[in-house]
Amino acid sequence: MDISKILLSFLIIFSTSAHAFTLNNTSTLVFGKDEVKVNVAAGNCANIGIDEHELISIISDAVNQYWNRSPTSRLKLRAGSIVSKIALYKTGPICTASTSCDPNPALAVDSDILITCNQNAVTFPSPSILAVTVPNNISGKTIIGSLIMINDRAGNQFVSSSRDEKVSIIAHELGHAFGLGHSPVKDSLMYYATVNMRKSLGADDIDGITYLYPKQQPVSCGTISDQNNPNSWLGLLIGFGLITFLRKFQFRYLKLRPRV
């Protein structure tokens, strides 16, 4: 029995935590920059009860209330501008295949994130589908542009959502746009269904965005000293000494143990 390995394994087990977040693809796709704008297609929304200016305001609240509050991620999302886009963004399908989403190349977003309203029946076969998102301009493992479509068909359920709910819906779709999939954890923003009164990111959301966009930290040793005991730093050396002692003890024990 290797006592030092057992002790080391014990420390590793109790100093790490499991995560439940998923990625929105089989590869780890991320934006290649730390600041990403969220723009809105002009003139595309007829049935969601808000105009483009209010949608920009909702985007601002979504990024500042949710994703930009992650303390361990370098990614910052910014509300962008209202931009002109071809009519196909309002009427075309987001994918070219119904069984799996092969992004429609005609709708490739040239940079950052674009939000558009859409009335396509293939993309939105049900009023309960609030929005659909796909990174649709990719180079290798780098996201160049992502597209978010809001259900703008008559009878959609987005229009009846409260403003706070619209904010959380947009924030959820932004998570897909920069690389996250769904989370099975119900208190997460990236949970697969809407949850009433959601106001902030869950721990799993923070784990996810940090995994994709970790904030750079300097490499250093971690310790703590007792201000009332100037020699307390010796505890760090004692910790390393314990491992050495256990290894020597194990060697002597094995060497002196009688054979059976």
Side-chain angles (χ1 to χ4, degrees):
M1 180 187 300
D2 190 329
I3 297 176
S4 60
K5 286 184 178 179
I6 292 175
L7 178 59
L8 182 58
S9 298
F10 179 84
L11 292 173
I12 291 173
I13 290 170
F14 284 91
S15 63
T16 58
S17 59
H19 59 71
F21 66 85
T22 63
L23 306 180
N24 66 1
N25 48 75
T26 55
S27 300
T28 306
L29 298 178
V30 296
F31 278 99
K33 53 188 179 180
D34 295 347
E35 183 168 316
V36 176
K37 293 185 296 182
V38 186
N39 299 312
V40 173
N44 279 2
C45 301
N47 297 308
I48 65 170
I50 55 175
D51 61 17
E52 299 98 322
H53 298 283
E54 179 62 17
L55 187 50
I56 288 286
S57 176
I58 286 173
I59 291 168
S60 180
D61 288 348
V63 300
N64 292 323
Q65 183 176 323
Y66 291 95
W67 296 116
N68 289 350
R69 291 193 175 185
S70 173
T72 49
S73 168
R74 68 178 187 271
L75 180 67
K76 294 300 178 185
L77 301 174
R78 307 295 183 198
S81 307
I82 300 171
V83 295
S84 297
K85 289 294 178 182
I86 60 175
L88 194 63
Y89 279 93
K90 182 181 180 68
T91 60
I94 197 169
C95 302
T96 57
S98 57
T99 55
S100 63
C101 187
D102 295 326
N104 186 346
L107 300 180
V109 177
D110 54 3
S111 68
D112 299 282
I113 299 170
L114 176 70
I115 297 182
T116 181
C117 290
N118 184 271
Q119 298 180 348
N120 186 272
V122 175
T123 301
F124 296 107
S126 167
S128 64
I129 300 175
L130 302 173
V132 177
T133 299
V134 61
N136 67 354
N137 187 355
I138 298 167
S139 176
K141 291 190 175 183
T142 301
I143 301 173
I144 306 300
S146 289
L147 179 62
I148 298 174
M149 286 185 169
I150 301 173
N151 189 345
D152 194 48
R153 299 190 69 197
N156 72 81
Q157 294 181 10
F158 185 90
V159 66
S160 60
S161 302
S162 69
R163 191 182 190 282
D164 286 344
E165 289 169 339
K166 289 183 173 76
V167 169
S168 67
I169 291 167
I170 295 300
H172 175 101
E173 295 304 318
L174 289 173
H176 291 315
F178 66 67
L180 286 177
H182 283 136
S183 170
V185 182
K186 193 171 184 179
D187 68 353
S188 299
L189 175 67
M190 297 310 296
Y191 187 62
Y192 65 88
T194 57
V195 176
N196 292 333
M197 304 304 292
R198 190 190 304 283
K199 295 294 184 182
S200 61
L201 294 178
D204 200 51
D205 302 313
I206 295 174
D207 287 346
I209 190 174
T210 303
Y211 175 82
L212 293 176
Y213 303 90
K215 182 177 289 186
Q216 298 299 320
Q217 299 289 346
V219 178
S220 62
C221 295
T223 183
I224 187 170
S225 298
D226 182 354
Q227 62 179 350
N228 297 316
N229 182 2
N231 295 320
S232 62
W233 61 271
L234 292 174
L236 181 63
L237 298 179
I238 293 172
F240 286 110
L242 178 61
I243 297 293
T244 303
F245 168 78
L246 288 172
R247 292 190 69 88
K248 289 182 177 180
F249 173 81
Q250 177 196 24
F251 173 77
R252 291 178 180 177
Y253 172 75
L254 293 175
K255 184 176 180 180
L256 299 175
R257 184 177 59 179
R259 295 179 180 274
V260 293

